Amino acid sequence: MSTQTEQEKVRGWLTGRLPGDWFDGETELSIDRDEILIVGRIPAPEQNKDVSAAERSAAEEGRIKQFREDTRERRIEIARELEHAARRKVAWGVRCGDTRTVFTSLSAPVMTRLRQPERQVLDTLVDAGVARSRSDALGWCVKLVAQHSESWLSDLRTAMTKVEDVRRAGPDKS
């Protein structure tokens, strides 16, 4: 889990390093032990208000694709610099209108030992066609838990930040 100080350092670095014309407003920043995900908002294409949802979505996807192509070399350069400084992989994403796309994101293996009842849950998801493999099923379960317990997870992250603040203020720190 990243600390608030790490978030602030990375956000500050990005503020100084990202071209000013890339994103509207502040970037979304998500950091874990393995990866930094940067998601910026770009302007949606101008369209009539009466266009269909499908047409609006296609226009947003097209704008995102154009941004991705136009910024590829600079994003790679910035990512390499940040990866070296932060010792984490960097992934990029864009939000345009109601469409959010992450270009490349790290897929990290996670080792776990499961007893038969937990494996049966995963196997049921695979057998039902919800997931292709136990690995996919486990990912699906994690997403479902995160979706249904976001407020609890948010409270837990806040508490962890407070614990880190107390540790930093401890007697061994000068």
Side-chain angles (χ1 to χ4, degrees):
M1 188 57 62
S2 70
T3 65
Q4 185 173 352
T5 303
E6 288 174 307
Q7 285 262 357
E8 291 168 354
K9 285 180 180 178
V10 171
R11 184 169 303 286
W13 189 89
L14 288 170
T15 298
R17 185 64 178 91
L18 290 177
D21 61 343
W22 273 14
F23 301 125
D24 291 341
E26 195 171 282
T27 58
E28 238 180 83
L29 188 60
S30 177
I31 302 175
D32 69 9
R33 291 181 181 120
D34 304 308
E35 181 179 40
I36 298 170
L37 173 61
I38 305 160
V39 179
R41 179 172 288 285
I42 60 174
E46 291 188 27
Q47 294 178 292
N48 293 329
K49 292 182 180 184
D50 59 343
V51 298
S52 69
E55 185 175 342
R56 185 171 313 283
S57 177
E60 291 169 357
E61 288 173 15
R63 177 64 51 91
I64 289 170
K65 182 174 174 55
Q66 185 65 51
F67 175 85
R68 184 178 188 186
E69 294 303 318
D70 290 348
T71 62
R72 183 180 311 277
E73 288 182 30
R74 293 280 308 273
R75 283 186 298 104
I76 290 170
E77 176 185 333
I78 292 167
R80 284 186 180 146
E81 291 173 13
L82 184 53
E83 285 172 0
H84 179 73
R87 300 191 192 293
R88 289 177 173 92
K89 288 298 199 182
V90 173
W92 295 92
V94 171
R95 183 178 299 279
C96 180
D98 293 332
T99 306
R100 183 179 190 271
T101 303
V102 174
F103 304 146
T104 306
S105 186
L106 184 65
S107 178
V110 178
M111 298 302 291
T112 184
R113 294 187 187 276
L114 300 176
R115 302 217 182 272
Q116 189 179 41
E118 291 90 12
R119 292 191 312 267
Q120 288 174 336
V121 170
L122 299 181
D123 291 342
T124 299
L125 293 171
V126 172
D127 294 344
V130 173
R132 293 182 312 238
S133 64
R134 282 181 172 175
S135 177
D136 284 345
L138 188 56
W140 186 88
C141 290
V142 169
K143 288 176 192 171
L144 187 65
V145 168
Q147 184 180 44
H148 291 290
S149 58
E150 188 54 43
S151 65
W152 181 82
L153 290 171
S154 178
D155 291 346
L156 185 59
R157 289 182 190 112
T158 300
M160 289 168 46
T161 300
K162 289 178 184 174
V163 169
E164 286 186 30
D165 292 343
V166 172
R167 283 184 184 149
R168 263 196 304 275
D172 293 339
K173 304 298 176 181
S174 45

